[in-house]
Amino acid sequence: MAPKKGLLQRLNEGVVIGDGGFVFALEKRGYVKAGPWTPEATVENPEAVRQLHREFLRAGADVMQAFTFYASDDKLSNRGNESSKKYTCRGINDAACHLAREVAEEGNGLVAGGLSQTPTYLSGLGKENTQKEFQRQVDVFVENKVDFLIAEYFEHVEEIEWAIEVCLKSGLPVVASMCIGPEGDLHGIPAGECAVKMAKAGAHVVGINCHFDPFVTLEGLKKMKAALDAASIKVHLIAQPLAYLTPDAHKQGFIDLPEFPFALESRICTRWEMHRYAREAYNLGVRYIGGCCGFEPYHIRAVAEELATERGMLPKASEKHEPWAGGLKMHTKPWVRARATRNYWETLKPSSGRPYCSSMSKPDNWGVTAGDSILKQKTEATSEAEISQLRTKAKTVNGV
Amino acid sequence: MAPKKGLLQRLNEGVVIGDGGFVFALEKRGYVKAGPWTPEATVENPEAVRQLHREFLRAGADVMQAFTFYASDDKLSNRGNESSKKYTCRGINDAACHLAREVAEEGNGLVAGGLSQTPTYLSGLGKENTQKEFQRQVDVFVENKVDFLIAEYFEHVEEIEWAIEVCLKSGLPVVASMCIGPEGDLHGIPAGECAVKMAKAGAHVVGINCHFDPFVTLEGLKKMKAALDAASIKVHLIAQPLAYLTPDAHKQGFIDLPEFPFALESRICTRWEMHRYAREAYNLGVRYIGGCCGFEPYHIRAVAEELATERGMLPKASEKHEPWAGGLKMHTKPWVRARATRNYWETLKPSSGRPYCSSMSKPDNWGVTAGDSILKQKTEATSEAEISQLRTKAKTVNGV
Amino acid sequence: MAPKKGLLQRLNEGVVIGDGGFVFALEKRGYVKAGPWTPEATVENPEAVRQLHREFLRAGADVMQAFTFYASDDKLSNRGNESSKKYTCRGINDAACHLAREVAEEGNGLVAGGLSQTPTYLSGLGKENTQKEFQRQVDVFVENKVDFLIAEYFEHVEEIEWAIEVCLKSGLPVVASMCIGPEGDLHGIPAGECAVKMAKAGAHVVGINCHFDPFVTLEGLKKMKAALDAASIKVHLIAQPLAYLTPDAHKQGFIDLPEFPFALESRICTRWEMHRYAREAYNLGVRYIGGCCGFEPYHIRAVAEELATERGMLPKASEKHEPWAGGLKMHTKPWVRARATRNYWETLKPSSGRPYCSSMSKPDNWGVTAGDSILKQKTEATSEAEISQLRTKAKTVNGV
Amino acid sequence: MAPKKGLLQRLNEGVVIGDGGFVFALEKRGYVKAGPWTPEATVENPEAVRQLHREFLRAGADVMQAFTFYASDDKLSNRGNESSKKYTCRGINDAACHLAREVAEEGNGLVAGGLSQTPTYLSGLGKENTQKEFQRQVDVFVENKVDFLIAEYFEHVEEIEWAIEVCLKSGLPVVASMCIGPEGDLHGIPAGECAVKMAKAGAHVVGINCHFDPFVTLEGLKKMKAALDAASIKVHLIAQPLAYLTPDAHKQGFIDLPEFPFALESRICTRWEMHRYAREAYNLGVRYIGGCCGFEPYHIRAVAEELATERGMLPKASEKHEPWAGGLKMHTKPWVRARATRNYWETLKPSSGRPYCSSMSKPDNWGVTAGDSILKQKTEATSEAEISQLRTKAKTVNGV
């Protein structure tokens, strides 16, 4: 059997489909705690992590991203989190790599080791300390022979440049993806410039993940593409947006929305919105197309179905999903069978069932970023008194 | 070790939490086809079914309902479905019982075997033929020593009376649950009268599942309770509603909504709405409280957390979910930590992010019910020409 | 020239179109103060009152209702209002009759003198005192030879029965109209029973005005009609609803909505909704069809255009309004000319341009009614301290 | 008595409040036909025009703009309009000037004669023909000794430059106002450049009217101000926006919205939105602040009340409107008295009462502009066949 093709070869030859975000999916399944969002489930409940990998593989994902999000030592022990003490950074990352590899081998999947932004950077502790956090994770990824590295979910281009620098030493392909929108990074650096900086730092694939919905994310990618073209830089593009609609989010994305993270349901994209996302991303030239928070396996399946012609195949899970609602032909009710057409679903504007709710929210806009003292992270759990102070500030800032 | 307490003892002593619906959850995970909605996954992908059972157990469910929804022979071969031919009705039901039992034994769970309405009834083929379909499933449930039977998802009280008659012969406790709203069954029999008929037919627990949101469902249960009280009948009540908000649905429930089944996302209940549901159901006197289509494990966890005092315990999955958003105290962003309060989430009105969508839909209202020729089911797959005819009728009926 | 036909003859022979409400229309034009809502403009700015009468006549109204709303002595001096002192009850009512008569003579209009509910009743001062207030107005109406009397805007059937008793002594036809919805009067008397009581008290025409939108109002009228039919009583029906959509209002109508009275704009009915209202009212058997608060002349024109065949004529103002948007054929922009069709406007669902607003509000529901001490009216102006107390109570009642 | 101060002196010394648009207000009152929108009412129903002038004067308007909108000969005879034949261009304009002067003399008002864009320009008939149309109106204005001229409602800066050229020959102050948004004119010329062009053509006041809501209009004015500042040009600014909220309108403004012109009700601004508009306009440096289509007298009153300190007086109509809902202190219902506070109305988000409607619309976007053959105007009435063709094109363009 021929060896698997690597990431860059696949991107050169066609399109690569990413998986969806694990923290939100596993929070709903009962294995991740919203707040810290750390991935100790790789040790505690490996069967749940394995099953989610399988579902994404089955849905068409080409990449099994090891569940190492926020698995840096400083995050695992931030604000009362005891995951680091109980399982160690190494233990969690190692288990994650094993699970991803196990499922990847069930198909033709690649394994990626992932880094994300650190409390160390946010607290202003400098390049050396920040890179140490990255290095500890990369060491485990290299030992586990992952296929490539992905630095993702960075709000500041400075920090991701430091991450790229660490990653490149591994010799593996490096994907770099920031959680920014069309307005750029939290220090005010435009999206296009962020892309150029990541590429110049050596990343092989650059782009955007998380924080904004598919369509806002693609607006950001348009700016990145324009800036890369203007600088005559050739790299691949990656898009891994939210599955939550965020037309009303400002610079800091869905975290600012009042519904984050426990009342986002009504913003969840339909599969048909994912068809549109996949097509628009592809047309823009993006070749690594996946998802982040909110993506469930059926969202990735919709991406894979939209790109079935380009990829020359349907995903395994399409056995249970005929294109464009064809399965409804088998429904018992005739008026539901009448919906078994593409046009019906493409033009439908879904209602919310929420007559007391509006369509847009006013986001929190605290306007603070790395370097601001209120963003200093710490090991101790947050007290009630501190929460109460924050509530007061929230009322002041939002004027309510 | 003492034997497990049975369903009726548990209901007499306190509250029993049901699980959520499997067909919608597994459709999103890639294992069930929307349209036929049949449970051949019990044979094809047992690991996925097992994992979902585990998540509900972990979330606090006391019942593992074997995944036998729509697993009657006539449904497994309706309109081009080949599941019956490939796996047999017996094979699918048997595998379902094994999976449910396996996970139930991991905790203190009960196993239920479930029946639902049949194409045979809908096509007007009479009592004898309909009961034959039920008997085939009940035989497998008895062989597998399930703890009780549940006849659920019936639109016509006549058919569920026939089902109860079959179930009672097993000697097991019988739960009877119709998919109706406050307006009653599809033949115009009021909700209260349906309850009385089910109880008189011998069901030990009666109530409502599917088709309407938690709050509309409880309106229906209020009518049932009033009628049972008026008739001096003592039975337990069950509620297993949708996790989709349906204030705009008419008599036939969410199936009539234009968003059914592929664009219901923005109607999904939040966990806080489930807290409210659990409390209101409990206060009304409902003691079997679970969910149906749309319920994910975190929705059942919310029910279990709301009733933690009554049950004297929190579910296992609450390890990953501090009550009322407490986990947000560990979030990196201070304005998100400010949301770690009950009042914030109880009063929030979530926005949809969909400014081009309305809050209410006009449902299809074909007004047809059992006995109507357009509802005759058949074995052959539906043709394009038939779908086209239905589209035309839909336009006429809906006046668009 | 033959004498004008009277109200009852007109109703027996066909349909009578009422005018719209004056207080809201003249508030927007700058002549009525929201809060007291009293009609001293008849003395202060007769040209403005006259012009509004003319516009309604031109729009098709058959009735010029003298602008005597809330023009009882007790209301004209309630809570700091000095209108009674400055202009006297008699002066205001007399001027109102002159203005209505003047314009009625420009066409074929009838003049009606109107009574409405009194602070005296609300403050629990008894039948004799309440009827004295009515008598003072009726005396002026009789002197001015109005064509009929209309007792309207009563929340309690008891008070309107007292008003009818006073009116009947004049020998004129009496119309009696309550500002209630399908739930009935504020003392809990069902809508149907209210109708029967008004008819038995001697009113020649009974029905509903104000407080609810056209469609909710017609629900109330359906109940009235059913009760009258059941009691074999033959009287004519009147509907004069709001031009504000109020699907979310509870028993007390639009006054409870948080938008009352200064942010109701987005609830204003379109002319096409008025077409539908007129048709549904006519089909229900209502023969006196007009409007109340929010109705502008173009709303009455729409009613008259919808009933043009029944009335055998179009209103004068239709010179400036071709049926069903025909005037758009003369628009400069071709895509606006494309809208010159009935179907376009009948099926359009108008957007609000308000993405941060919801479609429904939670009404205030203080649940107080006549007899409750908080409803005692008084002559002195309300103090800031009293307003502040009310704000506190509002927060408590509404739980915000 | 000292002579009245002129426009420019008033602008130099403080703020000038304009009136509202006449065509929409009088359409609702029954005197203007939507479609042609021409002002023959000045001859046909002078009392209605006079009354509306009075209401705006009373509401605080400093300018009585003669009702000469679209009163050019070519418009008065476009597409079957017979106003030109019946009343002549001269007759209509002359009557308009008389009415405006009559009411202006009742207070301290200025009279303006107004020009707007012409079918001649839209049909591509060139500068000479277009200016001839303007000249005919200006001649009447000069004869009537109006206080200044206002060229408004121009979609193409080229045409308004031609109009300014004609106006300047009169020796009167010239206001120039385009109906554009932040995206600029319909030939793609940016808003800022339009302002510079108008100023360089000699206009003393430049700005924007109609087509967009107050807040979108101010976005356009910000661009104008920036460009004028950059060019070191000193002129006054004018804003006369719609009273309809249009966040979803594209380049061509509210005309493209599907609700135009007969279903705009739910977009109408509240008085509180007008307070905000007036404040933001003033803060931006705009000194001629008025309104256009949709503005009713109470909207202008809100502008005047917001600027009462700057102007040193309240308008006459404020006799019937205490600031910030103070009149509600006299309401009979205590929960309405509780709303007599500024904070209540400033923070209220009004609901629409329309649960089947969305908050945003998809505008028509035909993308045609002057020079396009489909925009050729003509004298003959539009036929049904032509309308039918346009409907077909509308469906194609909008993809529905």
Side-chain angles (χ1 to χ4, degrees), chain C residues 44 48 125 155 183 236 263 271 283 291 319:
Chain C
E44 293 175 342
L125 300 180
E155 292 172 313
E183 293 183 61
H236 284 291
R271 61 196 73 195
N283 287 348
E319 287 171 6

Side-chain angles (χ1 to χ4, degrees), chain B residues 230-388:
Chain B
S232 300
I233 297 174
K234 290 263 176 254
V235 287
H236 284 291
L237 295 174
I238 179 171
Q240 301 215 98
L242 299 179
Y244 301 112
L245 292 168
T246 63
D248 41 355
H250 291 187
K251 197 167 187 177
Q252 193 128 195
F254 83 143
I255 290 180
D256 277 7
L257 293 176
E259 294 83 10
F260 175 88
F262 290 135
L264 289 162
E265 278 80 353
S266 51
R267 294 174 178 268
I268 299 173
C269 292
T270 67
R271 61 196 73 194
W272 319 114
E273 287 162 329
M274 291 310 178
H275 270 269
R276 185 155 72 85
Y277 153 58
R279 181 53 52 200
E280 292 183 9
Y282 188 84
N283 288 348
L284 181 61
V286 181
R287 285 298 172 268
Y288 190 142
I289 302 175
C292 199
C293 303
F295 266 73
E296 298 283 344
Y298 77 105
H299 289 123
I300 290 297
R301 178 174 61 191
V303 170
E305 291 189 349
E306 177 64 30
L307 298 172
T309 305
E310 286 78 4
R311 298 177 77 228
M313 62 174 167
L314 276 171
K316 182 85 177 148
S318 293
E319 286 172 7
K320 295 293 174 188
H321 192 255
E322 295 178 34
W324 292 102
L328 297 185
K329 289 180 193 163
M330 299 167 80
H331 201 278
T332 49
K333 307 285 186 185
W335 59 96
V336 178
R337 294 202 295 280
R339 296 173 195 164
T341 76
R342 174 169 181 163
N343 184 258
Y344 181 87
W345 296 103
E346 275 194 321
T347 58
L348 181 74
K349 296 212 179 70
S351 298
S352 68
R354 300 181 183 273
Y356 297 100
C357 295
S358 61
S359 61
M360 301 277 232
S361 288
K362 300 274 188 195
D364 279 323
N365 280 306
W366 287 30
V368 295
T369 182
D372 199 296
S373 69
I374 203 171
L375 283 176
K376 287 253 168 63
Q377 304 300 315
K378 56 177 196 175
T379 306
E380 302 77 45
T382 308
S383 69
E384 284 298 334
E386 286 170 317
I387 294 298
S388 176

Side-chain angles (χ1 to χ4, degrees), chain A residues 182-258:
Chain A
E183 292 183 60
D185 99 338
L186 294 198
H187 279 152
I189 301 170
E193 195 177 330
C194 288
V196 170
K197 279 174 178 285
M198 290 189 285
K200 287 197 172 160
H204 306 92
V205 183
V206 305
I208 295 176
N209 75 302
C210 206
H211 273 204
F212 295 92
D213 72 35
F215 311 103
V216 176
T217 296
L218 292 181
E219 289 306 307
L221 273 159
K222 271 179 213 166
K223 301 202 170 193
M224 288 192 164
K225 185 169 194 295
L228 291 165
D229 287 351
S232 300
I233 296 174
K234 290 263 176 253
V235 287
H236 284 292
L237 295 173
I238 179 173
Q240 302 214 97
L242 298 179
Y244 301 113
L245 293 168
T246 63
D248 40 356
H250 291 187
K251 197 168 187 176
Q252 193 128 196
F254 82 142
I255 290 179
D256 278 8
L257 293 177

Side-chain angles (χ1 to χ4, degrees), chain A residues 30 40 252 258 265 268 273 298 320 322 329 333 338-339 344 351 353-354 359 361 364 382 384 391, chain B residues 33 40 155 252 258 265 268 273 298 320 329 333 338-339 344 351 353-354 359 361 364 382 384 391:
Chain A
E40 58 277 9
Q252 193 128 196
E265 279 80 354
I268 300 173
E273 287 162 330
Y298 77 105
K320 295 292 173 188
E322 295 179 34
K329 288 179 194 163
K333 306 284 187 186
R339 298 173 193 164
Y344 180 88
S351 298
R354 300 180 182 272
S359 61
S361 289
D364 279 324
T382 308
E384 284 297 334
R391 283 300 297 159
Chain B
K33 183 184 276 194
E40 58 278 9
E155 293 171 314
Q252 193 128 195
E265 278 80 353
I268 299 173
E273 287 162 329
Y298 77 105
K320 295 293 174 188
K329 289 180 193 163
K333 307 285 186 185
R339 296 173 195 164
Y344 181 87
S351 298
R354 300 181 183 273
S359 61
S361 288
D364 279 323
T382 308
E384 284 298 334
R391 285 301 295 160

